[in-house]
Amino acid sequence: MSTGTAQFGKSTAAVKSSSKKKSRKKAKKNNVGLICGVVLGVMVASLGIAYISGRAYYGGKFLNDTFINGTDVSGMTYEEACKAVGADKKDPDLVITGIDGKKFEIPAKDFGYTRNAADEVKKLYEQVNHGAWFSGYAGKTDLSYTEQATYDAAKLEKLLDEQEWGDTETADAYMELTDEGYVINKEIQGNKITDMQQLYYVVESDLSGGEFEITLDENSGCYAVPEIKSGVFEEQCAALNNVFNISITYDFNYTTETLTGKRLLEILDMDDMGNYSVDEDKAMEYVEYLADKYDTYNKPRKFHATLQGDITVEPSSDAKYGWWIYQQATCDELVDMLEDGVSVESVEPVYVEDYPFVYKGLPSARTANDDIGKTYVEIDLTDQHLWYYKNGKLDYECYIVSGQTTSAARTTLEGVYKLWSKETNKRMKDSNADGEEWDTTCNYWNNVSLCGIGLHDSTWRGAFGGTIYQWNGSHGCINMPYEGAQYIYENVELETPVVMYY
């Protein structure tokens, strides 16, 4: 009987064990549902809290990732967004800068200027669905508005009319010939408004675009603009000045005379680019000017005589002393130099020549008021006396016999002569207008003219001075004692002035 019990007993235990397993499975299923419910409740609660929080945060703001006219206004209040896009700015004064840099300020309120920017941002703000704040995280939102301004154009134009814009007239550049050469006078950009209607248009157009700082330049159309600018003259000015600066300097021993600049241009026929030809008539006029200013030949001279004091020595046909410009030859030479177009630092005029003698004075004696100097031979034809002064001091003197005054053909003419040449044993053979002839020889011949007048020894004479010349004078020469003629020959240099007077 104990084995059966065991078997029964074993069978009862197995049944109890199976029943427990089924009960555990059912309990496990009930726990999962509970957990899911709890989690779902937590999630719903969290979403609710998140929504409420987002609703509270974005309630007075633009949603996330929102842009107005390209400016990020995410999470900004209306006021902050206005500031960000510049809609809150107060209208500044209208500032217009003229072409000369002068500024003109006109308060915006004076012409009723207003902008709609703040109102437009307000409209955009009011369109925001704050309840759907979470939609801002779905993607970018681009908002925009067109800014417009209003003002009283009539008032503005009146205010523009009242401004003192300026009164400087516009002027073109131009080239001018001055004593220093050609210069370019630059163009002048005037500050005077020449087109008020264009000014209205420029200002009102800029204002419509929100521009309160307006600069008027030469392209604004409000001013007259120079048509000719200085740059167009640069090449021409340089070319003309190349001609203007050519210089020809004439040497007159004691001074110089330079042909250049305006005076030179008078002689040239020149085009706008410095190409020129020489006007020979004008060149001759310049040479005539030089001759009139510097020639001393055949002109009266002031002289301090030994016995007579201050006198005037008149010229004569026999007296050939002084500076005498050969005008045609000088003109031809001047034309050649100008055609070469090269400056000449020093050149003498061409002087009249009677070969081999040139009509020039003594260079060392030449000054502005004198060409005799302090070294000269003086012959008083009235007193029949000769003196030789060297460097202002008397070096020699003697009596002489001059031409006989009973005949014009024999009379010695007064004037300033020059010691042209010297000879010894000179044969004097000639005739005059009276038909008189002579043929004799002297030891010392000192030629002072080109017509046969000389200072020579006259050994056939036994006396000199007094009034001999009036009834027994020479044929025009100056008869001297032997030693006097010898002194002149040996001591007086060629080209020395010989002053004769009555």
Side-chain angles (χ1 to χ4, degrees):
M1 284 190 45
S2 54
T3 305
T5 304
Q7 289 178 345
F8 179 82
K10 182 178 179 182
S11 173
T12 304
V15 171
K16 289 182 177 179
S17 175
S18 174
S19 177
K20 288 180 179 178
K21 286 181 180 178
K22 291 179 180 178
S23 178
R24 286 174 187 165
K25 288 181 180 179
K26 186 176 181 180
K28 187 174 181 181
K29 289 181 180 179
N30 292 335
N31 288 339
V32 170
L34 179 60
I35 291 171
C36 288
V38 171
V39 170
L40 181 60
V42 170
M43 289 179 63
V44 171
S46 297
L47 289 173
I49 293 171
Y51 175 79
I52 293 171
S53 297
R55 182 70 174 80
Y57 178 77
Y58 285 105
K61 301 175 182 178
F62 283 94
L63 304 187
N64 183 60
D65 211 9
T66 300
F67 291 77
I68 298 178
N69 287 357
T71 300
D72 189 354
V73 295
S74 302
M76 293 185 183
T77 64
Y78 160 71
E79 290 78 9
E80 291 171 337
C82 282
K83 185 174 182 181
V85 299
D88 66 329
K89 293 181 179 178
K90 293 182 178 180
D91 298 329
D93 289 345
L94 172 62
V95 179
I96 303 173
T97 302
I99 200 166
D100 57 358
K102 183 178 179 181
K103 293 185 181 297
F104 302 86
E105 296 185 9
I106 303 175
K109 63 181 179 59
D110 288 359
F111 54 93
Y113 184 91
T114 59
R115 297 166 60 209
N116 69 339
D119 291 339
E120 291 298 312
V121 174
K122 185 70 171 177
K123 290 178 182 178
L124 295 175
Y125 174 75
E126 290 174 347
Q127 293 172 7
V128 175
N129 183 1
H130 296 96
W133 60 266
F134 48 85
S135 63
Y137 292 91
K140 182 179 179 182
T141 300
D142 281 313
L143 304 176
S144 65
Y145 68 90
T146 300
E147 182 173 341
Q148 293 180 340
T150 59
Y151 58 88
D152 189 327
K155 285 185 178 179
L156 174 60
E157 292 173 5
K158 184 174 184 297
L159 291 168
L160 292 174
D161 288 338
E162 293 173 353
Q163 305 305 308
E164 295 181 0
W165 298 102
D167 56 7
T168 300
E169 299 284 351
T170 294
D172 289 336
Y174 65 96
M175 194 163 54
E176 180 183 12
L177 176 58
T178 70
D179 291 338
E180 287 72 41
Y182 287 91
V183 297
I184 300 172
N185 293 289
K186 295 188 66 175
E187 66 277 7
I188 298 173
Q189 175 56 64
N191 61 6
K192 183 178 180 180
I193 297 292
T194 56
D195 190 338
M196 288 301 296
Q197 294 299 320
Q198 178 65 15
L199 176 64
Y200 301 157
Y201 172 78
V202 170
V203 173
E204 291 171 11
S205 295
D206 284 359
L207 274 178
S208 296
E211 293 292 333
F212 275 77
E213 292 188 4
I214 301 171
T215 299
L216 303 177
D217 57 21
E218 62 180 15
N219 297 316
S220 67
C222 302
Y223 301 94
V225 178
E227 295 182 1
I228 302 175
K229 303 293 183 70
S230 58
V232 304
F233 292 114
E234 290 180 359
E235 183 180 353
Q236 179 186 8
C237 188
L240 295 177
N241 277 328
N242 284 338
V243 179
F244 181 91
N245 291 323
I246 293 173
S247 64
I248 309 294
T249 300
Y250 284 98
D251 183 1
F252 294 97
N253 305 112
Y254 71 94
T255 189
T256 59
E257 180 97 13
T258 299
L259 173 62
T260 190
K262 283 185 175 181
R263 187 68 179 86
L264 179 141
L265 295 183
E266 293 175 1
I267 300 174
L268 308 178
D269 292 324
M270 185 168 63
D271 66 18
D272 290 341
M273 289 307 298
N275 303 301
Y276 66 87
S277 60
V278 182
D279 186 326
E280 294 189 17
D281 291 337
K282 293 293 180 63
M284 179 58 79
E285 288 179 10
Y286 179 72
V287 172
E288 290 171 351
Y289 153 78
L290 294 179
D292 183 63
K293 184 174 181 179
Y294 294 103
D295 275 1
T296 61
Y297 171 75
N298 208 35
K299 290 183 178 181
R301 291 176 175 85
K302 300 295 183 181
F303 181 74
H304 184 75
T306 300
L307 299 179
Q308 297 185 33
D310 293 334
I311 62 172
T312 297
V313 181
E314 297 294 336
S316 70
S317 58
D318 291 343
K320 302 293 185 182
Y321 179 79
W323 305 87
W324 186 11
I325 292 177
Y326 185 2
Q327 295 184 15
Q328 187 59 58
T330 299
C331 178
D332 293 343
E333 188 177 73
L334 174 59
V335 170
D336 290 342
M337 290 187 290
L338 291 177
E339 288 180 342
D340 288 342
V342 178
S343 295
V344 179
E345 292 185 0
S346 181
V347 62
E348 274 196 338
V350 180
Y351 290 100
V352 175
E353 182 175 351
D354 194 347
Y355 186 81
F357 306 115
V358 181
Y359 286 79
K360 296 169 64 175
L362 184 63
S364 61
R366 196 174 191 187
T367 67
N369 301 310
D370 181 38
D371 65 347
I372 295 173
K374 295 183 178 181
T375 297
Y376 54 85
V377 175
E378 176 187 351
I379 299 176
D380 187 331
L381 297 172
T382 300
D383 195 61
Q384 295 288 285
H385 203 116
L386 177 149
W387 298 269
Y388 172 59
Y389 288 91
K390 186 174 184 179
N391 296 324
K393 295 182 179 180
L394 180 63
D395 208 59
Y396 181 80
E397 64 177 311
C398 68
Y399 285 103
I400 54 93
V401 174
S402 62
Q404 187 168 309
T405 56
T406 58
S407 167
R410 296 182 62 170
T411 299
T412 301
L413 302 180
E414 75 171 297
V416 181
Y417 296 72
K418 179 171 77 170
L419 185 55
W420 291 96
S421 61
K422 302 176 184 180
E423 293 181 50
T424 58
N425 300 316
K426 166 75 172 178
R427 182 182 181 184
M428 299 178 291
K429 183 177 183 299
D430 209 342
S431 61
N432 63 19
D434 291 340
E436 296 178 307
E437 297 181 355
W438 58 92
D439 186 356
T440 186
T441 300
C442 66
N443 295 285
Y444 297 101
W445 169 258
N446 301 289
N447 179 32
V448 296
S449 81
L450 304 184
C451 60
I453 298 174
L455 280 59
H456 62 82
D457 57 284
S458 302
T459 54
W460 57 88
R461 287 191 181 277
F464 296 89
T467 58
I468 297 173
Y469 76 101
Q470 296 178 1
W471 49 273
N472 187 25
S474 71
H475 291 92
C477 289
I478 303 299
N479 293 172
M480 300 180 66
Y482 178 90
E483 64 274 12
Q486 181 183 23
Y487 177 87
I488 297 295
Y489 181 87
E490 293 179 350
N491 295 282
V492 180
E493 294 182 357
L494 294 177
E495 298 191 355
T496 298
V498 178
V499 184
M500 302 187 195
Y501 57 86
Y502 284 95

